Amino acid sequence: MVVVSLIKASPEKRREMINKILFALALEAERLYGSKTGQAKKAQVIAWFYERYSWLSKFVTEEQLGEWIDAVVEAMTDWLASNPVAAENILEK
């Protein structure tokens, strides 16, 4: 179902859908690695993305993916800072 949605989606909608996936993966990496490990987390998000969603590689290059991850991480950091209770629950190990 997700595959069909992505194929039919406009480039803007496709990017929005991929950003949601990247946000979830970035949270997972943050939970696993903790703070001060940005490059390791980014590499892990890229690896997970291609491992779990290999078919999406047809829609996004690794360079684009890296740029999008940077933007998602910035948004995630802002969101976690403004939601301390959610941050504590999500990042709890």
Side-chain angles (χ1 to χ4, degrees):
M1 182 80 163
V2 175
V3 175
V4 173
S5 296
L6 274 165
I7 290 171
K8 291 182 176 183
S10 68
E12 295 81 21
K13 184 66 174 172
R14 188 176 302 134
R15 167 96 187 262
E16 183 181 315
M17 294 169 79
I18 291 172
N19 278 348
K20 288 179 182 178
I21 292 168
L22 293 175
F23 192 92
L25 293 175
L27 279 174
E28 190 174 340
E30 183 68 27
R31 190 174 22 246
L32 180 65
Y33 289 96
S35 62
K36 309 290 185 212
T37 57
Q39 290 304 313
K41 288 184 285 194
K42 185 175 185 177
Q44 186 62 64
V45 169
I46 291 170
W48 282 335
F49 182 84
Y50 285 127
E51 176 184 307
R52 296 175 187 181
Y53 306 97
S54 59
W55 52 272
L56 284 174
S57 66
K58 293 171 182 28
F59 298 103
V60 60
T61 66
E62 190 167 334
E63 182 178 323
Q64 285 176 313
L65 190 60
E67 292 172 8
W68 292 356
I69 290 169
D70 291 341
V72 164
V73 166
E74 188 174 319
M76 179 190 73
T77 301
D78 292 344
W79 182 79
L80 290 171
S82 66
N83 295 287
V85 173
E88 184 178 327
N89 289 324
I90 290 171
L91 300 178
E92 194 174 273
K93 293 184 180 184

